Amino acid sequence: MPHNDTQTRDAFDSAKAELERIIDDFNSTPDEAAAATAALTQLGMSFAAANLAKFEARTQFLLELSAGLQVVIDSSQENPIGTALDDITGNVVELAEIAKSVKELLAE
Amino acid sequence: MKRSLIILLVILTSLIAGCAEIPKSQLDAYVKVFSEAKQASEQVMLDLSVSSKLIKDFEKKNNGDQASQSSRFGTASEPYVPPVRVKALARVNGISARLAVFEVIDQYNTVLVTLASGESIQKVKDSTSQLVESASLLIDVAGSSVPGLSQAAGLIKVAAAAAEKYRTRAEFANLIRDGRPHVSKILHFLIDDTPTIVNVHEGIWTAEIAPLRLKASNSVREIIMLAKNRQAPTTDADKKLVDAIEKRINQLSGQTFKIRWSAQTGDKVADRALISKMRIKLSEAEGHYLELAKASEKSPSLRAVMNRYNNLLLATDEAMEHIEKALEKKPVDVSKMILELLETAMALKQEYAAFRANF
């Protein structure tokens, strides 16, 4: 985990532990415990939301990586030998047809 | 012509013998482990999308933007401030992007598998057969003959297939060489995602568990309230019952718990009826603490799952490394290979030109 992330996580853990301590402490009044619970709920959801935002923010880099791989896929050659053979075959077939026509003409 | 074709065939055969085969077993292993990683990722993303919806619903409930801005929490000594504003959420759908990237790798894998399958070699054989048939037709129409054509036809077919085999192997090696760094980076990117994903879930669970925690501790507070303005029990039997309650609360809460009885002489002594009420409250507390304990188990379970997921992604990367290493066993100079292939293609063209010159 990068240093900043660790710091953020540590800050969350520290705030969470403090609020949990207040809720768990039987000496806390019900009002204090309730306020700490509301704060803990908010803390958890804000932390989740901040991380989801971070997850989303990283996406652009992933798209770039994906595009790089797509270039490799697109650059993979089809089948040049097969294509060349197909072209030649086409020409030969055409030649055969021409020759056939010429032969028929001469026969007439 | 026949002689030159034989020479060409011999050259091609020797070239192919000189280079390693496509490492099919390593490729199979890689494709299988990738498929597993892809399925695992779909599950991870599905869970995350559920959490994402919970966050959005929470924000709506708490007036969205206002709740998402820098927050200060209760009595925490250092207020927690989220590093990124939640407004950024709606801009890009990161979950779809991650699912899509697996499809791109899948597409890449399909190209590798197609090359390894030898489909194109068969296609070349088929094209060559067709060519020979057409040539035969042409000769027939022209009413002439080409000496050695039937023998040459077989040789051309073999030579063309050999050239294609050579090309596919070179193409496969190129794809691995060029594609692997991208795939590896993507896999490591996804591995780097996991702490963030864990944080999303754990943040939500923290919020979900908070009311359970309050319920549990409030049950104990109610026991404390029952003891207010009451003196400690005096009979041994009642004392034992109270000791048992305290001991059980210690076990449940993990705290040292002692009921504080009143020292005021005017207050009533705790009787059996009061202790019974305390035991009812204890029973409620037990339920809440067990629920809390169960909910708290989610986090270590998630971490274990995410570790396995990471291992699967790493295994995918390693499986690809094995393909690369298998290709390196007999090092192939790709540029030399391409040159040789071009020469081969040129020789073939010349042979076909010679063929055509006969008609």
Side-chain angles (χ1 to χ4, degrees):
Chain A
M1 205 186 276
H3 185 61
N4 282 347
D5 291 353
T6 311
Q7 276 186 331
T8 307
R9 176 75 208 205
D10 287 348
F12 167 73
D13 286 341
S14 159
K16 180 184 168 199
E18 175 62 16
L19 292 168
E20 286 179 346
R21 190 195 61 73
I22 295 167
I23 300 167
D24 291 344
D25 187 351
F26 303 133
N27 293 319
S28 301
T29 66
D31 285 348
E32 285 170 342
T37 302
L40 186 58
T41 304
Q42 185 68 52
L43 171 74
M45 292 309 286
S46 295
F47 184 67
N51 276 281
L52 188 59
K54 189 186 156 200
F55 173 87
E56 297 288 357
R58 277 168 50 78
T59 302
Q60 186 53 42
F61 181 51
L62 178 67
L63 295 176
E64 285 166 20
L65 292 175
S66 179
L69 182 60
Q70 192 64 56
V71 168
V72 174
I73 296 167
D74 294 344
S75 68
S76 80
Q77 290 174 12
E78 278 287 306
N79 179 353
I81 293 173
T83 310
L85 281 171
D86 285 345
D87 289 348
I88 293 165
T89 306
N91 290 338
V92 173
V93 170
E94 205 178 322
L95 265 178
E97 278 169 5
I98 292 167
K100 198 178 171 185
S101 305
V102 171
K103 196 180 177 183
E104 282 167 5
L105 277 171
L106 288 173
E108 284 171 10
Chain B
M1 181 182 68
K2 187 182 169 188
R3 193 166 160 258
S4 58
L5 273 172
I6 292 169
I7 292 166
L8 177 64
L9 177 62
V10 170
I11 291 168
L12 281 169
T13 310
S14 62
L15 284 174
I16 290 157
C19 66
E21 292 291 319
I22 288 175
K24 289 184 181 172
S25 58
Q26 286 89 342
L27 177 63
D28 285 348
Y30 159 70
V31 169
K32 275 178 194 161
V33 73
F34 170 78
S35 169
E36 295 291 327
K38 186 184 172 196
Q39 282 176 32
S41 181
E42 282 164 2
Q43 191 56 52
V44 168
M45 291 305 136
L46 182 68
D47 290 346
L48 190 63
S49 72
V50 172
S51 291
S52 170
K53 191 177 181 309
L54 285 174
I55 292 168
K56 282 167 189 168
D57 289 348
F58 180 84
E59 284 168 354
K60 262 187 197 168
K61 203 176 158 190
N62 290 271
N63 296 325
D65 290 346
Q66 194 185 342
S68 69
Q69 286 178 9
S70 303
S71 308
R72 293 177 177 272
F73 301 109
T75 56
S77 52
E78 287 185 17
Y80 171 75
V81 180
V84 186
R85 288 196 176 188
V86 185
K87 271 184 174 176
L89 277 179
R91 287 179 195 158
V92 189
N93 188 340
I95 292 171
S96 301
R98 278 150 183 88
L99 290 173
V101 81
F102 272 93
E103 295 304 324
V104 176
I105 300 178
D106 224 359
Q107 197 187 340
Y108 169 74
N109 293 347
T110 303
V111 179
L112 289 176
V113 169
T114 305
L115 282 170
S117 71
E119 268 177 33
S120 62
I121 296 167
Q122 189 54 48
K123 192 187 165 197
V124 164
K125 276 185 182 172
D126 294 345
S127 295
T128 316
S129 300
Q130 204 190 337
L131 174 67
V132 171
E133 278 169 28
S134 303
S136 301
L137 175 70
L138 184 55
I139 292 160
D140 183 46
V141 168
S144 59
S145 66
V146 177
L149 177 64
S150 58
Q151 294 94 325
L155 290 171
I156 291 165
K157 212 158 87 174
V158 174
E164 178 57 12
K165 189 177 179 186
Y166 191 76
R167 186 196 71 83
T168 52
R169 196 225 163 270
E171 189 67 33
F172 184 90
N174 286 346
L175 265 177
I176 291 291
R177 184 200 60 200
D178 298 340
R180 196 196 159 213
H182 295 283
V183 175
S184 186
K185 276 181 193 166
I186 290 169
L187 293 170
H188 284 275
F189 175 96
L190 295 169
I191 290 169
D192 291 344
D193 260 350
T194 55
T196 312
I197 294 171
V198 167
N199 285 347
V200 170
H201 291 305
E202 289 189 346
I204 289 172
W205 294 339
T206 297
E208 285 177 348
I209 291 171
L212 297 178
R213 186 174 287 280
L214 181 65
K215 274 186 187 174
S217 64
N218 273 349
S219 304
V220 178
R221 284 189 191 94
E222 286 175 21
I223 293 173
I224 293 169
M225 288 302 288
L226 286 171
K228 202 179 174 187
N229 302 326
R230 291 293 192 113
Q231 288 189 52
T234 49
T235 67
D236 285 347
D238 286 351
K239 278 182 187 172
K240 272 189 181 175
L241 288 172
V242 169
D243 283 349
I245 291 170
E246 288 174 338
K247 197 176 168 187
R248 184 66 182 135
I249 290 172
N250 287 346
Q251 286 173 344
L252 293 169
S253 68
Q255 299 179 52
T256 307
F257 175 72
K258 273 279 178 193
I259 295 174
R260 287 182 198 160
W261 299 103
S262 168
Q264 298 283 329
T265 46
D267 287 342
K268 279 174 72 179
V269 171
D271 54 11
R272 186 60 61 92
L274 181 88
I275 294 167
S276 294
K277 280 184 186 171
M278 286 181 164
R279 290 179 71 181
I280 290 168
K281 288 291 164 195
L282 174 66
S283 172
E284 284 175 18
E286 278 179 329
H288 294 317
Y289 273 108
L290 289 175
E291 205 180 344
L292 177 64
K294 197 179 169 189
S296 303
E297 282 170 11
K298 274 183 171 181
S299 217
S301 299
L302 171 75
R303 283 169 182 258
V305 165
M306 293 308 279
N307 274 341
R308 275 199 292 274
Y309 172 60
N310 278 356
N311 288 339
L312 202 52
L313 293 171
L314 280 175
T316 309
D317 192 32
E318 281 167 15
M320 208 170 183
E321 192 184 356
H322 291 157
I323 301 174
E324 204 171 35
K325 280 186 177 168
L327 286 167
E328 283 168 4
K329 269 182 188 169
K330 285 186 181 176
V332 177
D333 182 344
V334 178
S335 57
K336 189 183 163 208
M337 215 161 77
I338 291 168
L339 274 176
E340 286 168 347
L341 185 60
L342 283 173
E343 282 170 14
T344 308
M346 187 60 74
L348 266 176
K349 271 187 179 174
Q350 284 167 353
E351 290 298 335
Y352 284 125
F355 231 120
R356 293 170 90 171
N358 284 327
F359 303 107

